[in-house]
Amino acid sequence: MTLPFRRRHNDHETSHDRARALIATGYLQPNEPVDADWLEAHLAGCLECRNDHAAYGADRELLRALREQAPEPPRDLWARTAAAIELEAGRRTRNQRRGRPPRSWRIGHLPAGVASGLLVVLVVVGASLIPRGGVQLGPTAPAGSDVAVGTPRSEATPLAVLTERLAWIQVAEDGTFEFRQASVNEVCPDLQSRCAPLDSAMTTSLAITQAPQAVLLSPTGSEIVVVTSSGSAAGADIVVLPVPTVPPPPETAAPSASTDPSTTPSTTLPSAPPSAASTPGATPTEPPATLTPSGLPTQSPDPSASPDPSASPDPSAGYSIVTGVVVVGDAAYSPDGLWLAFSARSAFGVVGPDLYLWRVGDPLATAVTDDHRTFFSGWLGGQVLANRVETGVVSADPSATAAAPTPSPAPTLTPSADPNATPTTPPAVVEDHPVAFLLDPETLATTPVAGTDVWRPTVDPTGRSVVYWSGTLIPDGTGTGWSLGTGRLVIDGWLDGSAPPTDEPSAKPENSGRPTATPATTTTAQPVPTDASGNPVAPVIGPAGHPVTLVEGPSTGFNTWFDPSGTRLAIWVADPSDPAVGTLRLVVLDEETREIDPATDPLPGAAALHGVSINGGRLAWVTPPGQDGEGSHLQILAWSGREFGQIRSIQAQGLSVVR
Amino acid sequence: MSGSSEPGGFATRTGVREWPVAGRAMTGTWNRDSAGTFVEALFARHHGEIYAYLLRMIRDPELAADLAQDAFVKAYRAYDTLEKGENARAWLYQIAHRVALDHIRRRKIVRFLPFTGESAGSSPSAERLAMDVRLSGPLERAMARIPERQRGALLMAEVHDLTGLELAAALGISHVAARALLTRARESLRQALAAERTAEAAAEAEQDAAYAHRTEHGR
């Protein structure tokens, strides 16, 4: 594209540029006489510029013709706006009532009780004040400025919902962090309805100094895990903190859960993590591989066994279970709350990530792989679902990638999901291939997941559906990670073999329990199925082979989460220009068939920061901060059956939803 | 605008609205009554054009309404930042422009597929593509192809008739920079329209050829 003001050495070209610029600006305001004279002279001798002049004029007429086609605003626009303004006023009122220092624009002389009443009055009276044909709005008022009295949105009935308790953190007025919890009992069909902003029922101070990468609440409710930001030179820590005021833990409570809520008004990060020398971060010259032999969880398979007293953490103060790492992807508790799994790499080396496990109550997390190419993906019952990246080949021919080493590929399972069939693979690009496997955290026995190029699979808690990136990976050039290659995000059925994976420990693997891509052992002995010829066929665990595309590649990044019922799927896809921001969608699956319900699309795509919380009856996320220093909102979509509604918190800084 | 009849609210005022701020400088202090009165008058006067501007930027009526609402709430919130009442229109356009750009920035990349049960690798049907083409003219498609800031500048200058100074204020840039942006926008539109017309001509030629082919084989 030719830019009119671009400076070039070529005088001839520059004169054309100048002519175009003068033509263009002449429409905004008359040119100076000297410029006008120059332009006239130039046009007389330049056919190309005369054509441009004519084209600009014709385009301008086309644009100005749009003035005659003024679109009609919705008739309830004022009612909606007035209600939203009243909500804004109420928010300021509440902020002031809490004693927050008023800002120059902040007022709040109106009692909250009056505010809700005024909302109704405002809608009715405000709408009636808008003239309906008898009042001149002014010379520039376009047609269609009349506003009707009808206020369908504001009259929507709030929806009662029963949801899991929600927790989040945010920056308090004094700059410290707060841990907040609330119950969502009522949502509105849209945000402009009568629902007051969500407010927390309980607030606890949290002594962290910067916004964390992620915060997790254990399934037992006994502790929270804070993944600090990986942005600092020292890397990230994963810190375990007690949650003093959440409901008491169930019978399977971990040793660290015995904390008296009444004696711990706030949670505080440890000043010095215990035994940091055994973490990758403390040994920058040593790769994490050196940790593996002594750190296998199989050394203390008995969950009741106490850790070494000398290294025993103080559960009431909080402690780091790993330091000096870059946490890759999400960390997650096992459904029973006994384990935490994540993948991480050293913040000081140039190697990829390994899989870490932390048994709740242990002083430290342990790296259970040392190949520097293993990624935690999620939990499937009591087993870890993980990925390992197999090195591909440099290929100028997309079909050549089929020769990459893959463990027991099952091409018949995923015929249409095979990205090798896509003829858009760029030439001479190394495309690596992910393989998935299950890992028993107790025994470290592994079970392969069938199918090639199954990356970051998320299996729904009922074990019927799986979402994964069906495609290749491309080394990012740093030696520490991979980016998504050719492929797409798909949903498919999930085959769990002849029986669901067992939680019972099986035969302990020989040597180390380090998972490999080609394990020789499976965890359970099942009746061997046979094919049509009567030959034994190994039970298949993996995608069913009927993928449906959710998001087309290429993609910068994604994340997926199922709700406990397996019928609500949240999909977050990163923005290529800003991977911290993305678009969130909720997909509804049919309860019986688990097929996507195209008629129910409660969240077609909302701007969201990375990290959401989906649990019984609700999905919560943080909206990106806006311009002019505006903060974010915590936004909640909740449902009751097939009815959906939303509610959001007041604006706040440093919001992070607790998963 | 007459004053409110109840303390703290602008919901119960009565009477014919008048321009509340023209000719007087804002005080710089946020006041609920004044802000409410101001935004209501601003809405009455400009909501149609602001909605139209956002619709032309976003091309989604429901979304444009949401963003228009958002723009007026932001105006209410930032009422004290307007220094002169006569600049209110440009100031409001500035807010609307930022709201639109914010939205575009957040949504522009992710393309979730419609859940039609299509299997992996399927692409939009020819009928769907043809429908998309029919639903919008070359100008609309060309406008959608040029960068958002340029599109906003063109719309504000040519369709919404902002003056040079108003345009600069609405874009939040200098007068010179606004002129330069507008010049680039005109050139972008010229090229985009030319491309659209070329594509349209090619499609028509293809249709004619197909028709001729069918006619010939039908004999």
Side-chain angles (χ1 to χ4, degrees), chain B:
Chain B
M1 170 66 68
S2 55
S4 62
S5 59
E6 285 189 9
F10 62 93
T12 58
R13 70 179 59 83
T14 58
V16 178
R17 63 198 37 70
E18 59 203 32
W19 191 237
V21 290
R24 71 174 176 84
M26 309 302 292
T27 63
T29 304
W30 201 95
N31 175 279
R32 181 191 174 105
D33 289 345
S34 302
T37 304
F38 167 71
V39 170
E40 186 177 347
L42 203 63
F43 183 93
R45 195 174 183 118
H46 297 300
H47 79 279
E49 58 179 315
I50 290 298
Y51 170 77
Y53 172 72
L54 289 167
L55 179 58
R56 287 162 179 148
M57 284 292 285
I58 305 295
R59 302 176 70 194
D60 180 329
E62 186 59 27
L63 200 50
D66 285 346
L67 296 184
Q69 171 191 314
D70 201 19
F72 282 103
V73 172
K74 286 177 186 290
Y76 173 80
R77 197 182 293 153
Y79 153 76
D80 57 335
T81 65
L82 176 63
E83 292 181 350
K84 293 181 180 175
E86 55 264 35
N87 296 340
R89 183 168 178 251
W91 177 78
L92 184 58
Y93 267 99
Q94 182 183 35
I95 293 173
H97 183 63
R98 288 184 174 184
V99 166
L101 293 188
D102 257 359
H103 174 79
I104 291 169
R105 180 179 66 85
R106 291 172 187 175
R107 77 158 188 193
K108 63 186 175 185
I109 36 75
V110 176
R111 187 172 67 88
F112 286 102
L113 296 184
F115 298 132
T116 58
E118 300 169 67
S119 62
S122 61
S123 56
S125 67
E127 291 79 6
R128 170 74 181 274
L129 293 174
M131 180 72 78
D132 287 347
V133 169
R134 277 203 300 275
L135 287 177
S136 59
L139 176 63
E140 200 175 346
R141 294 198 301 275
M143 286 291 280
R145 288 170 63 153
I146 69 176
E148 299 87 26
R149 290 181 73 242
Q150 295 183 15
R151 184 159 76 235
L154 268 180
L155 286 172
M156 284 191 274
E158 295 297 356
V159 183
H160 296 263
D161 211 20
L162 267 65
T163 66
L165 289 174
E166 285 178 330
L167 180 65
L171 294 169
I173 56 181
S174 71
H175 188 205
V176 173
R179 281 172 48 184
L181 179 65
L182 195 56
T183 300
R184 289 198 298 275
R186 291 190 198 283
E187 178 61 14
S188 297
L189 179 63
R190 183 184 71 81
Q191 296 187 13
L193 263 173
E196 283 296 331
R197 288 170 180 142
T198 302
E200 203 168 54
E204 282 178 9
E206 196 173 328
Q207 274 186 338
D208 290 345
Y211 176 75
H213 181 76
R214 282 198 303 272
T215 306
E216 191 172 321
H217 283 265
R219 285 174 185 164

Side-chain angles (χ1 to χ4, degrees), chain A residues 303-394:
Chain A
S304 63
S306 299
D308 179 359
S310 64
S312 181
D314 176 5
S316 64
Y319 55 100
S320 298
I321 58 171
V322 68
T323 59
V325 296
V326 174
V327 178
V328 180
D330 280 348
Y333 274 98
S334 60
D336 59 10
L338 294 178
W339 294 91
L340 180 80
F342 57 95
S343 43
R345 61 180 173 81
S346 167
F348 310 103
V350 285
V351 295
D354 283 295
L355 180 65
Y356 282 70
L357 291 174
W358 175 64
R359 186 199 299 272
V360 171
D362 281 357
L364 294 172
T366 304
V368 296
T369 65
D370 61 1
D371 55 12
H372 310 317
R373 49 177 59 231
T374 303
F375 293 77
F376 171 67
S377 186
W379 287 89
L380 178 57
Q383 299 201 78
V384 174
L385 188 50
N387 269 122
R388 186 183 212 180
V389 182
E390 295 289 340
T391 304
V393 294
V394 178

Side-chain angles (χ1 to χ4, degrees), chain A residues 45-68:
Chain A
C46 176
L47 176 61
E48 183 187 349
C49 292
R50 284 202 301 276
N51 289 339
D52 284 350
H53 191 183
Y56 283 177
D59 296 350
R60 187 171 188 243
E61 289 309 310
L62 274 176
L63 279 171
R64 294 172 81 85
L66 293 177
R67 296 179 178 197
E68 309 304 320

Side-chain angles (χ1 to χ4, degrees), chain A residues 555-595:
Chain A
S555 176
T556 305
F558 69 91
N559 222 333
T560 58
W561 306 265
F562 280 99
D563 81 329
S565 74
T567 61
R568 305 284 189 272
L569 167 65
I571 306 170
W572 181 89
V573 180
D575 182 328
S577 60
D578 182 2
V581 179
T583 304
L584 180 66
R585 183 173 200 176
L586 185 73
V587 176
V588 177
L589 304 177
D590 183 87
E591 213 164 291
E592 297 297 322
T593 65
R594 294 303 163 100
E595 291 178 348

